[in-house]
Amino acid sequence: GAVVSQHPSWVICKSGTSVKIECRSLDFQATTMFWYRQFPKQSLMLMATSNEGSKATYEQGVEKDKFLINHASLTLSTLTVTSAHPEDSSFYICSASALGLAGVGRANEQFFGPGTRLTVL
Amino acid sequence: QQQVKQSPQSLIVQKGGIPIINCAYENTAFDYFPWYQQFPGKGPALLIAIRPDVSEKKEGRFTISFNKSAKQFSLHIMDSQPGDSATYFCAALVRGNEKLTFGTGTRLTIIP
């Protein structure tokens, strides 16, 4: 149980276009979803936290108008990279947590998706 | 601000050896300390986690040692195998906050 999927797994786009990445919790309802960015050989950097039906909370330095997050349901969150540029090329990873959901992991446990490799040409 | 420091950056161990990865934290409010394993091109997966009220936790070949007074914790991998070659991240969390603070990662290579 506690599987998180991401789609697409990789995407190549031209500079100036927008790209949408989906994150789904497949077998549980996620209280909160998180979006991370990871550059090669670096750690995960939290971009934003989102709760279903409310606006995402962005980390300092992350442009909310560039990285649009929509969390329309308890099983789906989307990240849209608007007007992407080569410097946005990175590995984007989502995670989901389900506080208080008995039998699914432990309190505070985040279940990570497989990641999406974005390359902007 | 790097709140969780991880070392070493990379580690090469022979098969059967016991790699040890160390982490140190500053924020005494942290009360949940997970370790994640990440293979290239994949998302991280939870290996084992510990709360500060215990000094050691074992799950299979993985052991966390925790020293609350020193604000340090470490991951030991017993009987390491080439399949354990991956990047390992320690992390810390304040319960109720949900935001994970990750260490910088350790690239582990187990040679046959």
Side-chain angles (χ1 to χ4, degrees):
Chain A
V3 178
V4 176
S5 71
Q6 281 184 242
H7 178 81
S9 55
W10 59 270
V11 57
I12 301 173
C13 69
K14 291 183 179 180
S15 185
T17 61
S18 295
V19 174
K20 180 185 285 189
I21 302 169
E22 291 186 349
C23 175
R24 293 181 185 272
S25 56
L26 298 185
D27 50 4
F28 68 101
Q29 292 185 323
T31 310
T32 306
M33 287 185 169
F34 305 83
W35 286 96
Y36 296 85
R37 181 167 53 183
Q38 185 179 35
F39 292 107
K41 297 185 180 180
Q42 292 190 23
S43 189
L44 286 78
M45 297 301 297
L46 180 65
M47 299 175 67
T49 303
S50 73
N51 294 289
E52 182 260 343
S54 60
K55 288 184 178 180
T57 302
Y58 290 81
E59 294 299 299
Q60 194 171 12
V62 177
E63 300 174 59
K64 61 177 71 175
D65 293 331
K66 181 171 185 62
F67 298 100
L68 301 179
I69 292 172
N70 184 280
H71 193 160
S73 76
L74 284 171
T75 60
L76 173 65
S77 176
T78 60
L79 168 68
T80 301
V81 183
T82 62
S83 186
H85 291 285
E87 58 266 29
D88 299 322
S89 298
S90 187
F91 194 50
Y92 291 87
I93 306 171
C94 72
S95 72
S97 67
L99 285 178
L101 189 59
V104 180
R106 291 150 285 194
N108 308 122
E109 183 170 351
Q110 290 184 26
F111 303 95
F112 286 83
T116 297
R117 174 77 57 194
L118 170 63
T119 301
V120 185
L121 303 176
Chain B
Q1 182 184 2
Q2 180 60 45
Q3 293 191 53
V4 181
K5 295 182 180 179
Q6 184 171 345
S7 63
Q9 188 173 17
S10 63
L11 185 58
I12 300 174
V13 172
Q14 202 146 22
K15 176 185 173 183
I18 305 175
I20 301 173
I21 303 171
N22 301 298
C23 284
Y25 62 97
E26 299 166 4
N27 186 352
T28 54
F30 287 143
D31 55 5
Y32 179 70
F33 302 88
W35 284 90
Y36 291 88
Q37 179 189 56
Q38 185 180 30
F39 292 104
K42 304 294 182 183
L46 178 68
L47 267 181
I48 185 173
I50 196 168
R51 299 204 191 281
D53 52 346
V54 298
S55 59
E56 185 177 277
K57 183 174 182 181
K58 289 184 181 180
E59 284 188 5
R61 295 184 295 110
F62 301 96
T63 300
I64 299 179
S65 297
F66 189 85
N67 186 329
K68 187 174 181 179
S69 60
K71 292 186 285 185
Q72 295 175 347
F73 58 109
S74 60
L75 176 71
H76 301 231
I77 306 176
M78 307 302 174
D79 187 28
S80 57
Q81 302 295 315
D84 296 328
S85 297
T87 299
Y88 292 80
F89 293 96
C90 62
L93 175 69
V94 177
R95 277 182 289 177
N97 184 318
E98 294 194 74
K99 287 187 187 179
L100 282 167
T101 299
F102 281 90
T104 49
T106 296
R107 178 170 289 193
L108 174 65
T109 304
I110 307 298
I111 53 177

